[in-house]
Amino acid sequence: MPGGTARVLTLSDARSLDPAMLFNAYASTAVLGNALYGTLLTDDPASGEVRYRMAESFTTSDNGTTFELKLRPGLVFSDGTPLDAAAVKYNWDRLKTVPGASAADASLVGSTEVIDPRTLRITLTAPIPKFAQIVVISSMNWIASPAALAAGQQAFDAHPIGAGPFTLERWTRQDAIELVKNPRYWDAPKPYLDRLTLRVALDGGQRLNTVVSGGADVAIESHWWNVSRAAEAGLRTNVMQLSGGVYVALNQRRAPFNDVRARQALAYASDLQALNLAAYNGAGQVADTLFSKQSTFYTDTPLTTPNRDTAQRLFDELAAAGKPVSFTLTVSPTADSKALAEGIQAQLSAFRNVSVQIDVVDHARSAALRTSHDFDAIFSGVFFVDPEPRLWNAFNGQSDANISGVNDEALNTDLQAARTATGEAERKALYAAVQQRLAELVPVIFLVRAAPSALAGKNVGGLVQYGNGSLLPEELWIRR
């Protein structure tokens, strides 16, 4: 039913409303970006097939070296100015220069050229046949008014101009972001709601209880136990089934994890089922393989196999060489992240010659550390339906988004071959080799599958996610 206000609980606060500073994933600011700026593309959450939104098409005729983006006719920003190819060019060129979530993605574009008001031609620095998937899961999907961005961050944060289903009415920092329906939104009669109010709720129990009690209508969720409890309570749930998962990235650029034995010891010491029980009451899905069983790329090769004796032998061997394993694990302030970290700390306390400290930081600080690489070990993740481009970004030695610093010739070769391969059988064989090499090198330790979820009251409908758990607010409706 049209009209009404949805009160939405999110997992992360925004530092700025600049799309370059927003993250297009469930655990950060995806719903805010979608609300203010709309989407060029989305994807089918089951197959990964690209779906067109403000873009009419995005095609390549040379297997991924050049692409042409064609916009829908008549697109305008909320102030009535045209959202045209020049605006997309401005945003994509600018993303390379702004330290943010998608600078590395935008840097894959070597050049952009406006062909006509609706058509932008881009040339990549190297062929990426599935480059559309990078747009789907990044801030490249969000286009803001060039004139508004040029006014500077302070002015833009006060009056952001996008072409999304909602516009900003008020932003009270550390409290609420209040949005109102954009009458110029291209996909009328959407949005169905008149207003959105976004508030951060880091505590998982608080999120769930607030929705159950009617204090909120929708909650973005990351906690498997909450998803299970919400279903039991009769709430509406939408959970994306993705491969990959949440992992501990082990920084190979410095000690102790520049020694493969330290990484292997940590993997052998990790009991994923016990961590799942500690953090999620056993409701999570353990990421013991790279691909989920629903994936066409699934193989049963384990990423880690617990072995306490081997773990202790490696810890002792490192200590005898003057390299005792002592490190800090950096985590975000969510309840499940802290529970996982405490579970890892408890497991390692049973071993000699290893110690770990936990450092809880906010999402902005965590993002900065991933960029500066100033960490020993840090929680991150890679989630996907189709492995390209996410696996290349995460583990190729030439990728700016490679958090762990792994740079292995065989792994690089297989990832690059898989990136450009077109046959599914060839891709499956290459990604099987990638999984085997990751198990040997241990650049990260996968813990659990991600739970990109949205929970809602019984009178709320239209829970639709895309990409890495990016909720589309224009689809929401409330039965009054």
Side-chain angles (χ1 to χ4, degrees), residues 282-324:
Q285 297 177 11
V286 169
D288 50 359
T289 58
L290 184 58
F291 298 95
S292 70
K293 290 183 178 180
Q294 293 85 2
S295 172
T296 57
F297 298 97
Y298 172 76
T299 66
D300 60 4
T301 303
L303 287 168
T304 60
T305 302
N307 189 316
R308 293 178 57 85
D309 291 340
T310 302
Q312 189 62 71
R313 177 178 60 78
L314 289 169
F315 286 136
D316 292 345
E317 185 179 304
L318 287 159
K323 299 179 177 180

Side-chain angles (χ1 to χ4, degrees), residues 10 27 85 148 209 213 220 288 305 343 381 386 415 427 434 480:
T10 68
N209 291 336
S213 67
I220 308 300
D288 50 359
T305 302
D386 191 290
L415 286 168
R427 295 183 75 212
V434 165
R480 293 172 290 170

Side-chain angles (χ1 to χ4, degrees), residues 194-400:
D194 293 330
R195 306 175 64 89
L196 283 181
T197 300
L198 309 182
R199 281 190 168 87
V200 177
L202 295 178
D203 183 84
Q206 178 192 9
R207 285 193 302 275
L208 178 61
N209 291 336
T210 304
V211 176
V212 170
S213 67
D217 302 295
V218 178
I220 308 300
E221 190 51 69
S222 65
H223 202 295
W224 281 108
W225 179 232
N226 271 2
V227 174
S228 175
R229 291 168 62 202
E232 291 173 359
L235 298 182
R236 296 179 185 268
T237 62
N238 180 280
V239 185
M240 297 192 71
Q241 300 294 327
L242 302 179
S243 292
V246 175
Y247 59 61
V248 180
L250 307 176
N251 192 352
Q252 297 184 35
R253 302 171 183 87
R254 68 191 198 192
F257 297 120
N258 55 355
D259 191 316
V260 67
R261 292 174 297 175
R263 305 194 301 271
Q264 291 171 339
L266 207 62
Y268 283 125
S270 299
D271 184 335
L272 302 187
Q273 293 292 353
L275 289 175
N276 179 25
L277 187 62
Y280 304 108
N281 285 349
Q285 297 177 11
V286 169
D288 50 359
T289 58
L290 184 58
F291 298 95
S292 70
K293 290 183 178 180
Q294 293 85 2
S295 172
T296 57
F297 298 97
Y298 172 76
T299 66
D300 60 4
T301 303
L303 287 168
T304 60
T305 302
N307 189 316
R308 293 178 57 85
D309 291 340
T310 302
Q312 189 62 71
R313 177 178 60 78
L314 289 169
F315 286 136
D316 292 345
E317 185 179 304
L318 287 159
K323 299 179 177 180
V325 177
S326 178
F327 66 98
T328 297
L329 174 58
T330 302
V331 303
S332 63
T334 59
D336 49 334
S337 292
K338 289 190 286 187
L340 283 170
E342 290 164 1
I344 291 170
Q345 188 179 51
Q347 289 186 8
L348 292 179
S349 69
F351 294 88
R352 301 182 305 275
N353 296 316
V354 58
S355 62
V356 55
Q357 301 297 318
I358 298 172
D359 184 22
V360 180
V361 301
D362 63 25
H363 287 284
R365 176 64 177 154
S366 179
L369 291 174
R370 290 188 189 95
T371 301
S372 67
H373 307 137
D374 186 18
F375 65 88
D376 297 330
I378 194 168
F379 276 4
S380 188
V382 58
F383 328 123
F384 52 85
V385 177
D386 191 290
E388 174 58 27
R390 297 296 285 173
L391 286 185
W392 192 100
N393 289 352
F395 300 118
N396 188 281
Q398 304 305 308
S399 170
D400 291 336

Side-chain angles (χ1 to χ4, degrees), residues 67 178 196 198 322 403 428 452:
F67 286 81
E178 298 173 71
L196 283 181
L198 309 182
I403 298 173
K428 183 171 183 177

